[in-house]
Structure formats: C-alpha cells, structure tokens
Amino acid sequence: MKFFTNLTVALLLSGSFVLAQTNPNLPGKAKLSGAILDEKSQPFPFVNVLLLHAKDSVLVKGLAADENGKYVFDQVANGKYLVLVSMVGYQKNYSEPFTVKDAPIALPASQLTTDTQSLNEVTVVAKKPFIEQEIDRTVVNVENSIVSAGATALEILERAPGVTVDQQNEQLKLRGKEGVIVQIDGKQTFLSQQELITLLRNTPSDNIEKIELITNPSAKYDAAGNSGIINIKMKRNKNYGTNGNINLGLAHAKYGRGNASVTVNYRAGKLSSFVSAGTFLNKGFNNNDIYRKIPFEGKVTIFDQRTERINKSQYHNIRAGVDYFATEKTTVGVLVSGFYNDWSNPFGQTNTRILNEDLSLQRTFRTDVFNGGTMHNISSNLNLKHQFDDNGKELTFDIDYVNYTGTKKSILDTRYFAPDGTPDGNPENVRNNMPSNINIGVAKLDYTQKLWKGKFETGLKSSVVASDNDMVFETKIDDWVLDPTRSNQFKYTENVNAAYLNYSGNISKKVKYQLGLRGEHTHSIGNSVTLNQKRDRNYVNLFPSVFLSNQLDTNNVINISYSRRIDRPNYQSLNPFEFYLDPYTFQRGNPNLKPQYTNSFQLVHVYKNFLNTTLAYSRIKDMIADELPQQIASENKTFVTSDNLDNQDNVSLTVSFPIKIAKWWNVQTNFTGVYNHYNSIYLEEKLEIKQASWNMYASNQFTLPKGFSAEISGWYNSRAFYGLYAAKPMGMLNAGLQKNIMNKKGTIRLNVNDIFWTNRFRGKAVYKDIDFSVRSQWPSRQFRLTFTYNFGNQNVKGARQRNTGSDDLQKRAGGN
C-alpha cells in the first residue's frame, strides 16, 4: 500500500517537477502589450484578455487589463498568435494573427462594442480545465474530464477540491465541515444525507455539465449551509435550431452497470425548449468489518463482525423546460423534472463472533438481511423575469412545488449458534416498513436596480415543508405482530419566511464591496404521534454578510468576506425511531437536536488569474454531529445517533493552480489543508479533539496526435477525524483515453477508476466505553467505456440563465 501511495504522489507531482526544471529566461521569450477602449474610445479597465494560438485557438495565457485598460503578457514564446478580448454585454474582439519572434510587440488598441448579436464567425476551441478557481467559487468542469466519463456524481465529488465523501457514514463534507447544502440546477434536493448519497451514487456524470462549490454565500442565498453550497448543473444545450446529444456507457467492477441518456433541444423565435431523459442500472457490493469491545461490570465482551451485501439499483429521470420570450424585456419559463429510484440489497449477511476478553468463543450469530426501497420525485417551477426600461431595474418571480414519495423496507432473520456450531436459542425475525411523503411549496420574489453608484438587491421568500413518516416495526413468533415499542409515526412541518437586502458598489476603481443582511423567521413542529411527543420551535435570526474586493494591481486581487449561517436539523434526525441493522446494532433519532450557527471568515488571493489561495476560519456553535456512537453496555448493544457538540473551530487553506508543461501537457493541482478543533461535553465527559488533515487532487491532461487525448488523475486524503472516528488515509489513481470520431461529433472514452483499489474506509473510535474499529470496501475500481454523439445545429448562441424559487432549500428531507 505504501508503494502505491508513493507512486500516486510521485505521478501527480511530476508536472510540478518538470515545471521546476524549466528556465523561464530561455531565448525566444518576448513581451506583448496592448490596450482596450470602450465605445467612446475611453480606456476600458479590468477586461478579460486571452492569448490564443493562431492555428487552433488553443488558450496560451489569460489575464485582466489594469485600471487603465492596458495589459502585458511576459515571456511569450516565438510563434503565431491572436488575442481575444471579452467582457459580459459586449461583443468579443479578436485581433489579427501576428507573429512573435524575439522582439517586443505593441498591438493596436482593441475597441469593444455593445453585444447586439452573438458571434459565430470565429470558433474558439480552448478547453476548460477540469477544475477552475473563480473569485467566489470553485468550478468542476465535469464534461471536460476523460476519467469522469461513465462515473457518478458522487465519484466526481470525491475528486473535487476540499470535498470529502465519507462512504462509511454516507456524509459529505466541504473543507472539513458538515452541513453542506446540495443543489441540482439551483434547486436543493430536500433529502437526508443518506438519501442524498444514494441519489448522487445513481446520477450518471454524463448528464452533468459542471459542479460549483460556493464556500461563503452572500445574504441573497438561504442562511442554511454551514460549510457552503454544492450546486450540480445538468447539461442543457444552448444552440438555435434542433440539436441534442446521446450518451451510452458501460462499466465493470466485479458486477456490471450501464447508463444511457438523450437530450433534445429546440430554439427558434420566441421559444426555447428542451427535454432530456436518462436511465442508470447498477449492481454492486459493500463489505464491512466491525471489531468492538464492550466493557461492563469488570468484564469485556468482544464482537467480531463481517457484513457482506450485494446491492442493485435502477434510476430513471426526465427533465423538460420551456422559455417564452414574450418581449425583449419579459421572459416566462416552466421547468418540470422527476425521477424514479429503486434500490435493494437482495443478499446481505452478517456473521458475528461473540468473544470473551481472552478471545475464547462465547457464541456466534448470523443475520440475513434484506433492505430495499423506492423514491419518486416530481418538481415543477414557474418563473417570470422582467427588465424595466431604465436604471437597471429587474424583477424575477418563482413559484415551486416539489413532492417526494417513497418507502424503505427491511427484513432481518437472526439465528444463534453455540461454539460447536449447534443451534443455540430461538431465531429472531423482525421486519419494518417506513413509507414517507414530503410536500414542499416555495415562493420567491427578487428585485434589482442601480442605486446611487452601486447595485441594490432585495427579495422575499417563503417556504413550507410537510413530511409524514410512519415506521411500522413487526416481530415474528408464529405470525407477524406489531411491536408498538419500536413503531412510530413522525410528522414534521416547517415554515421559513425570509427577507434580504444587498448593496454592492465601488469605493474606488480598485476597491469593490457588498453588504448584505438576511432575516429569517422559522416555525417548526415535530410530532411523534405514537409517543405523543411534540416539539414546537419558533425563532427569528439575522444573518449579515460582508464582501470586500481589492484589485491591488494587474496581477493581484484580494477578496475578504464574512457571513453568519444556520443549519437546522435534518427532518428525520429529529425522529426518535430506531432503525435496526442487526439485534445488537441500530440507529436512533434525537428529537432534542438544536440548530447550529456558524460565523465564517474568508480571505482569497488571486494571482494573474492563475494561482488562487483561500484562507478560511469558522466557529460553529451547537455543532450537529451525525453518526455519533453510543452503547447500552448491559445489553451489548451499540447504536449511532445525532447530537449537538458545544463548539467546533475550523481553519482551512486551499491552493489551486494550473501548470502548462508543454503544448500537449497540462496539469491542474488543488491542495486543501484543514485544522479542526472540537471542544464539548459529551456523555458527561469533556471531549476535545485537535486534528490537522489535508487532501490533494491533481490531473494530468495530454493532447495526442490523430484526435486522441489522455488523462491521468488522482486524489489523496490524509488521516482525519469524522466526529469520533479517526479515519486512516484514502486515495485513488485514475487513467483514461479519449478519441474523437465521426467528424468530432462522436467521442469514445475508455478509462479505469481507482487502479490500485486504494479507496476504502478504515476508521477507529475510542471514547469512554466505546472502542471499535471499522473497515469498509465498495466497487470503486471500475473499467468504463462510454460513447457520446452530438447531433443537430451546433452554432453557439446564448440562452437565458436563471435560478428557481427553491434555490438553497432542498437538503433535509427523507428517512434514515
């Protein structure tokens, strides 16, 4: 394992090593300068300038003009180039091709004019890197990665900088913090962590355009989300005429899986519409080893467990939308989407040895488990956008309705055996069924206008959520009998009303600011019908945000931000029911959970649009920790639950930069270091954990002859704490090959994921009477083959970008 780890790190850092050996002062390096003017022939500051190879328009370098509209490219190698100048709202401006040969070159000034029609005469084929670092977010360009073809959304997130996927406990973390808000096309998923992981695990990457990581959102966003927002943007073609694409994929990892999707777009006149549909079929496995010691009354009982499960799933989805451009100023749109998700564990078995402290065998038991369930979703959105005639006034209105309907079932058959293998005692048969229904309604109104010398934004939002879960738990002796002590119906309603104000402007030409304040009123009722317990919470909070940006010079930008945020408990975390995995292991909800509050500070430095460094600090009060282990030592039972810890301090440093080693070789590197400090009273004792950890992602992309390209990428997570779990290092190495065919309308990709099968969870928890270790393995090593075909008119045209009324909401629904 150490050999494979060293090999991975050596390969990923090879690009940095080669760059370090390159002397930037070799002959044949020249200086290139120019200036940019607006329509009135005045200097145009801070405009994007790209230096492109004249032959194929491949990107060489990029920068922003200074406050006087001037720009300089240093160390330009000899060759033939052209310059592209662009700014939102203006037509792109291309220079005439020119040749660099040792001597400095001063180009004629470029003049930008207002964009009245989209440009289609020049095609730029510069390829975006897999990971881009923007001022306020990190963007993962999924469709530009070879090794991402045929993967799932969850596998892509494993490679995203600062994102940690805890497969064992089915959780997402961003920069070492829990409480991530996950959106799809700006609409939250309204799912619990477990159901969210299931959804991402069954969403093909071929349907995804890009993933945005927003670590410090402004007051315009909902205040929920301790560690920020992950927004998954699905593909949608933006061209005029009729066009679309087809994606087919096959993969093998002990078992097979396949996916297929099709998207058709039509845009003409005042109408723009699309429809897409996809399916994903998967068979996999999950193996777990748990070793735990349970002390009680001077004796220690040891449980040595091995669980093997085969899982099957099928996921089908459809999305459709229409925009009607009623006038040049008014647009009306409708979006409808839905999915059907069906999963099961047709084979699951746990074999457990119960040992004395001297490791002599007391007893064994075998639990045969069947788990399964379905989840259906339908989401609809009606939106209106109107631009007024003057002063930049704009009004948008959204109304959403979302419904989730599903059920979860499990059957457990446990049989006990004496040390000699003979039956010992009566078998235990239990089963449970939990149907769930979640209804969500959202209305949102946003207004923007220019005010004084800046931009003013305000808005209102109201959301209502109602969920109903009915856990029916039965035991079997001669026949199935309801167990009222384990059954429970739980109803939860929540109404959040919010208003916000944002103002942004310039202190000077170089210094920009944004001030925001959001107020939210929350009224929630959790009602355990069976236990006759009701929790009624009613509270108001204010959430300020401050952003400052300083363009120090042409090459350096610094951003400073502060925000206050809230995370409310997941709906089902409040449900006190118990969900059993075997007679000695279960999960329990906690109706006493409180919201957690986070104060976040962030400092971002961008150098030459190339090197991005982010330093962040946050203090979390009443931190919600999921999957905390507890024990009932007198009964040899272990369970996990959610609870509030007093405080968590989190410090993180993220560095992202691309390296162009050669014309045919690019490297993207991202590094994140995290320091977490937990300080709390837990189980009537002081709990204090201090842990430094880090993770790295690097991707080597190669452009090869005859339409071939290749990619070698990998990531590594160091030792880290997840709640009480001390997890050992994890990582993987991936490789892929791509070939363009059929006049570049078709693409074939072949890749292997996790070549050395190093992506597995190994963790240990030791606290008070809790002492156990866990190992988990799943089919992360996969061989994939995918085919993509684009058809129809591919001339690039702009289309409306929009959000919906349920932005920043859907995360917290569903069952455990």
Side-chain angles (χ1 to χ4, degrees):
M1 182 66 67
K2 184 176 181 181
F3 167 76
F4 290 141
T5 301
N6 292 337
L7 178 63
T8 301
V9 174
L11 178 60
L12 297 179
L13 295 181
S14 60
S16 302
F17 175 79
V18 172
L19 185 68
Q21 306 304 309
T22 303
N23 185 349
N25 298 312
L26 288 174
K29 301 285 186 178
K31 180 181 290 187
L32 176 66
S33 61
I36 304 168
L37 305 177
D38 62 17
E39 291 176 302
K40 298 180 180 180
S41 297
Q42 298 297 313
F44 203 151
F46 310 128
V47 175
N48 297 317
V49 185
L50 302 180
L51 180 63
L52 311 176
H53 281 298
K55 179 180 179 180
D56 51 14
S57 297
V58 171
L59 178 65
V60 179
K61 294 182 180 180
L63 51 75
D66 64 16
E67 64 273 16
N68 297 314
K70 296 182 179 180
Y71 64 88
V72 176
F73 288 106
D74 292 318
Q75 301 295 320
V76 179
N78 290 342
K80 197 169 185 179
Y81 301 93
L82 57 86
V83 167
L84 165 62
V85 178
S86 66
M87 173 62 73
V88 175
Y90 292 82
Q91 289 186 8
K92 294 179 180 179
N93 184 296
Y94 289 83
S95 72
E96 294 293 328
F98 57 88
T99 301
V100 174
K101 191 172 182 180
D102 299 329
I105 294 180
L107 294 176
S110 302
Q111 189 166 21
L112 294 181
T113 57
T114 303
D115 186 14
T116 57
Q117 61 181 0
S118 299
L119 182 68
N120 59 12
E121 289 82 4
V122 180
T123 301
V124 179
V125 297
K127 183 179 179 181
K128 293 182 179 179
F130 178 55
I131 295 176
E132 286 185 296
Q133 195 73 45
E134 298 182 359
I135 297 299
D136 61 342
R137 67 194 63 193
T138 300
V139 180
V140 182
N141 293 302
V142 178
E143 61 182 348
N144 289 330
S145 172
I146 299 171
V147 299
S148 298
T152 67
L154 191 66
E155 290 163 348
I156 299 302
L157 286 174
E158 287 183 318
R159 303 170 190 162
V163 177
T164 301
V165 179
D166 180 0
Q167 294 269 8
Q168 172 64 25
N169 299 303
E170 297 191 319
Q171 292 182 356
L172 286 177
K173 290 188 177 184
L174 185 57
R175 297 187 312 186
K177 296 188 295 181
E178 299 175 4
V180 183
I181 291 289
V182 176
Q183 301 176 353
I184 296 178
D185 286 333
K187 298 164 65 67
Q188 278 184 252
T189 50
F190 277 124
L191 298 174
S192 68
Q193 283 285 310
Q194 292 88 346
E195 289 184 332
L196 176 62
I197 293 293
T198 299
L199 176 62
L200 296 176
R201 189 179 284 136
N202 290 296
T203 301
S205 66
D206 294 331
N207 295 345
I208 300 173
E209 176 186 353
K210 60 184 177 181
I211 298 175
E212 297 176 330
L213 310 177
I214 308 171
T215 54
N216 210 10
S218 69
K220 186 175 182 178
Y221 293 89
D222 279 8
N226 151 46
S227 59
I229 295 171
I230 297 177
N231 184 28
I232 301 173
K233 288 196 170 184
M234 311 302 287
K235 289 181 179 178
R236 180 180 176 184
N237 200 304
K238 303 172 184 178
N239 304 340
Y240 276 123
T242 301
N243 49 67
N245 60 76
I246 298 172
N247 289 282
L248 302 172
L250 294 172
H252 181 77
K254 187 176 180 179
Y255 303 106
R257 74 183 190 188
N259 64 278
S261 65
V262 60
T263 300
V264 179
N265 309 276
Y266 176 76
R267 188 176 183 198
K270 292 187 175 183
L271 280 178
S272 175
S273 61
F274 80 98
V275 61
S276 66
T279 186
F280 181 82
L281 305 176
N282 179 57
K283 183 178 181 181
F285 66 90
N286 188 278
N287 297 331
N288 290 282
D289 295 287
I290 302 176
Y291 190 86
R292 53 186 169 178
K293 299 178 181 179
I294 304 176
F296 182 68
E297 294 183 346
K299 297 181 179 180
V300 176
T301 303
I302 298 173
F303 278 68
D304 185 5
Q305 293 181 288
R306 169 74 174 179
T307 301
E308 297 179 347
R309 286 178 292 180
I310 295 176
N311 50 71
K312 292 183 177 181
S313 62
Q314 54 176 310
Y315 172 80
H316 313 283
N317 73 289
I318 187 167
R319 301 168 60 243
V322 177
D323 284 338
Y324 176 65
F325 303 94
T327 68
E328 292 184 358
K329 304 289 186 180
T330 305
T331 305
V332 180
V334 177
L335 292 172
V336 179
S337 65
F339 68 79
Y340 171 82
N341 194 6
D342 185 338
W343 72 95
S344 66
N345 298 120
F347 170 81
Q349 189 175 94
T350 299
N351 287 282
T352 305
R353 297 190 305 151
I354 304 177
L355 308 172
N356 296 309
E357 191 170 6
D358 62 1
L359 301 183
S360 60
L361 186 61
Q362 280 189 27
R363 197 184 194 192
T364 65
F365 69 86
R366 184 189 72 235
T367 301
D368 294 311
V369 182
F370 167 81
N371 290 315
T374 61
M375 177 65 73
H376 310 261
N377 162 256
I378 182 70
S379 301
S380 56
N381 166 262
L382 174 65
N383 57 84
L384 169 70
K385 178 180 178 181
H386 178 71
Q387 295 174 307
F388 296 87
D389 292 332
D390 59 352
N391 212 23
K393 295 179 181 178
E394 181 177 287
L395 181 72
T396 60
F397 175 72
D398 290 84
I399 186 167
D400 290 73
Y401 171 73
V402 182
N403 173 260
Y404 289 88
T405 303
T407 186
K408 288 186 175 181
K409 300 178 181 179
S410 66
I411 302 174
L412 286 74
D413 182 350
T414 303
R415 299 177 184 272
Y416 298 91
F417 303 92
D420 61 1
T422 59
D424 182 17
N426 296 322
E428 293 183 19
N429 290 281
V430 298
R431 70 181 184 186
N432 57 60
N433 180 31
M434 188 179 72
S436 62
N437 187 52
I438 305 167
N439 289 287
I440 301 160
V442 183
K444 182 167 76 80
L445 181 70
D446 294 286
Y447 175 77
T448 302
Q449 76 165 62
K450 293 179 181 178
L451 184 63
W452 301 309
K453 293 183 179 181
K455 180 181 179 181
F456 172 74
E457 298 174 287
T458 187
L460 300 172
K461 183 175 182 178
S462 181
S463 64
V464 178
V465 179
S467 69
D468 188 354
N469 302 92
D470 190 6
M471 166 67 84
V472 178
F473 198 102
E474 298 174 304
T475 60
K476 184 176 183 180
I477 303 176
D478 295 322
D479 201 357
W480 291 105
V481 178
L482 179 70
D483 186 344
T485 64
R486 299 179 182 179
S487 300
N488 183 46
Q489 184 180 12
F490 183 74
K491 294 184 176 182
Y492 183 84
T493 59
E494 180 182 272
N495 175 220
V496 178
N497 298 306
Y500 74 90
L501 299 170
N502 257 351
Y503 186 79
S504 58
N506 291 10
I507 298 176
S508 66
K509 288 184 177 180
K510 294 185 178 182
V511 181
K512 302 176 182 180
Y513 68 91
Q514 177 180 290
L515 304 176
L517 180 64
R518 186 180 187 89
E520 292 189 353
H521 167 250
T522 304
H523 184 203
S524 64
I525 301 175
N527 183 12
S528 179
V529 178
T530 306
L531 301 179
N532 195 27
Q533 296 177 353
K534 183 180 291 188
R535 293 275 175 175
D536 192 329
R537 290 191 169 99
N538 199 334
Y539 50 93
V540 177
N541 293 114
L542 295 178
F543 303 97
S545 63
V546 180
F547 295 80
L548 291 174
S549 178
N550 188 358
Q551 180 90 33
L552 300 178
D553 53 38
T554 305
N555 297 326
N556 294 277
V557 179
I558 286 184
N559 295 339
I560 302 174
S561 62
Y562 161 77
S563 67
R564 182 173 187 257
R565 306 189 65 76
I566 184 176
D567 282 282
R568 302 171 182 91
N570 289 336
Y571 308 141
Q572 290 311 310
S573 296
L574 298 167
N575 193 339
F577 76 79
E578 296 177 351
F579 186 83
Y580 280 76
L581 302 178
D582 64 51
Y584 296 92
T585 312
F586 59 93
Q587 186 175 33
R588 174 186 289 173
N590 181 3
N592 298 314
L593 278 176
K594 299 179 292 184
Q596 68 178 21
Y597 295 90
T598 304
N599 289 284
S600 296
F601 301 85
Q602 187 166 281
L603 173 65
V604 179
H605 174 243
V606 181
Y607 176 70
K608 284 189 173 181
N609 289 325
F610 163 80
L611 176 65
N612 188 296
T613 305
T614 302
L615 178 64
Y617 167 76
S618 64
R619 160 56 78 93
I620 305 172
K621 181 182 178 182
D622 294 326
M623 172 197 159
I624 299 174
D626 295 320
E627 305 292 341
L628 287 174
Q630 294 186 22
Q631 291 187 156
I632 306 174
S634 60
E635 301 177 18
N636 288 330
K637 292 183 178 181
T638 301
F639 66 94
V640 293
T641 188
S642 299
D643 210 341
N644 291 102
L645 302 182
D646 294 342
N647 294 303
Q648 179 194 4
D649 292 288
N650 175 277
V651 180
S652 66
L653 175 67
T654 302
V655 181
S656 173
F657 56 93
I659 305 170
K660 188 174 183 62
I661 298 174
K663 181 179 179 180
W664 52 272
W665 184 3
N666 291 283
V667 180
Q668 175 71 39
T669 304
N670 296 273
F671 172 86
T672 301
V674 177
Y675 174 78
N676 275 315
H677 181 199
Y678 300 89
N679 190 5
S680 181
I681 300 296
Y682 182 62
L683 300 180
E684 301 179 349
E685 283 192 12
K686 183 176 177 60
L687 169 66
E688 186 170 15
I689 298 175
K690 298 178 180 180
Q691 173 68 45
S693 59
W694 60 276
N695 66 64
M696 184 185 76
Y697 172 86
S699 171
N700 295 265
Q701 295 185 337
F702 308 94
T703 302
L704 306 176
K706 298 183 179 180
F708 281 93
S709 56
E711 180 178 330
I712 299 177
S713 67
W715 59 265
Y716 177 83
N717 290 338
S718 72
R719 181 180 185 271
F721 266 91
Y722 305 122
L724 294 182
Y725 299 95
K728 293 186 178 181
M730 303 169 60
M732 68 162 63
L733 184 67
N734 317 297
L737 184 67
Q738 173 179 295
K739 177 71 168 69
N740 293 325
I741 59 175
M742 305 170 71
N743 294 323
K744 296 185 178 181
K745 290 186 176 182
T747 303
I748 294 178
R749 297 182 179 98
L750 176 65
N751 60 67
V752 56
N753 196 63
D754 196 6
I755 296 172
F756 302 117
W757 208 350
T758 51
N759 184 22
R760 58 189 68 186
F761 182 87
R762 296 168 296 157
K764 186 176 181 63
V766 179
Y767 182 72
K768 292 191 67 175
D769 63 344
I770 299 168
D771 184 352
F772 70 89
S773 58
V774 179
R775 291 185 299 174
S776 185
Q777 187 180 61
W778 54 92
S780 59
R781 180 166 63 184
Q782 299 169 8
F783 299 88
R784 305 184 186 131
L785 177 65
T786 63
F787 170 72
T788 302
Y789 177 72
N790 298 310
F791 59 88
N793 180 13
Q794 301 298 317
N795 292 325
V796 177
K797 300 289 182 180
R800 183 167 71 109
Q801 296 294 323
R802 64 193 176 186
N803 295 319
T804 67
S806 56
D807 286 0
D808 319 309
L809 259 180
Q810 304 182 48
K811 174 196 171 193
R812 297 164 45 234
N816 288 331

